[in-house]
Amino acid sequence: MDLSGIISISGRPGLYKVIAQGKNNIIVEGIKDKKRFPAYSSDKISALEDISIYTLSEDKPLKEIFEAILTKIGNTEAPTHKEDIVTLQDFLGDILPNYDEERVYPSDIKKLFQWYNILFKAGVIKEEKKEKPKAVKKTPSKKEEATKKPAAKKKATAKPKATATKKAPAKKKAATK
């Protein structure tokens, strides 16, 4: 899961992906609707990879919380942000039992689940398939290499370059008086 380039803009709903950077702004694209517009330096922009949740010991990055939600519920959507706040707090308590209930507000919890579902629907959050280890190629031993005949090297035959025929410079005629 890669959250780099995904931002939240204060005052605008949803999440956005950074597309390009201009002189005084950045061009962003909505993750849901794919509409592009400029975001200016006066907008309060937060990168998702920089956001973390307060815990009683140390802050937990948002990426780790999203991964914990994914492992708990599998390849399905999380509870919607419109659910009862007690349900959302219980769900977050199961995933992150030591989150600081005094500093993590209910609006933060709702935003967490809303962002997770947006990213899940967009395909940013998906279950990583574990690949089987690839078969290791057997490297020949030194004895096997010595018994092999060296491959004959092909001689490169260069084609002769076509030479352009040069024309003799035109002779100047003497001016007659």
Side-chain angles (χ1 to χ4, degrees):
M1 164 183 347
D2 185 24
L3 297 180
S4 62
I6 298 175
I7 61 170
S8 169
I9 301 174
S10 182
R12 291 185 182 261
L15 295 174
Y16 304 94
K17 186 174 184 176
V18 176
I19 301 298
Q21 187 170 356
K23 187 175 181 181
N24 295 326
N25 59 12
I26 56 173
I27 306 299
V28 296
E29 179 180 71
I31 290 183
K32 275 186 177 179
D33 57 5
K34 306 289 184 197
K35 290 184 181 178
R36 293 182 179 186
F37 63 90
Y40 298 98
S41 59
S42 60
D43 295 330
K44 186 172 188 264
I45 298 172
S46 302
L48 260 57
E49 61 187 352
D50 296 337
I51 297 175
S52 59
I53 300 288
Y54 295 117
T55 64
L56 299 175
S57 57
E58 60 183 32
D59 296 347
K60 201 77 154 167
L62 197 59
K63 180 180 179 177
E64 292 179 16
I65 294 172
F66 285 164
E67 288 171 349
I69 293 173
L70 184 64
T71 55
K72 178 175 175 154
I73 62 173
N75 207 12
T76 59
E77 285 187 38
T80 180
H81 66 283
K82 295 180 181 179
E83 293 268 341
D84 183 38
I85 191 61
V86 176
T87 307
L88 296 177
Q89 286 174 333
D90 290 341
F91 192 89
L92 183 61
D94 291 343
I95 295 168
L96 191 65
N98 63 343
Y99 84 94
D100 192 350
E101 295 179 13
E102 292 178 8
R103 295 195 297 174
V104 179
Y105 297 114
S107 60
D108 298 332
I109 297 172
K110 286 184 177 188
K111 197 177 295 184
L112 171 84
F113 286 102
Q114 181 181 18
W115 286 352
Y116 178 87
N117 287 331
I118 289 172
L119 293 173
F120 181 79
K121 288 176 185 174
V124 176
I125 296 176
K126 51 189 156 186
E127 214 165 13
E128 308 247 340
K129 295 179 183 176
K130 295 180 181 176
E131 295 182 18
K132 294 179 183 176
K134 295 181 180 178
V136 179
K137 290 184 177 180
K138 184 181 174 187
T139 56
S141 65
K142 290 183 181 181
K143 288 181 182 179
E144 290 174 349
E145 284 182 16
T147 59
K148 284 186 179 180
K149 292 182 180 178
K153 293 184 181 178
K154 292 183 180 179
K155 291 185 179 180
T157 56
K159 293 183 180 179
K161 292 184 181 178
T163 56
T165 57
K166 293 184 180 179
K167 291 185 179 179
K171 294 183 180 179
K172 292 184 181 179
K173 292 184 180 182
T176 56
K177 288 188 180 180

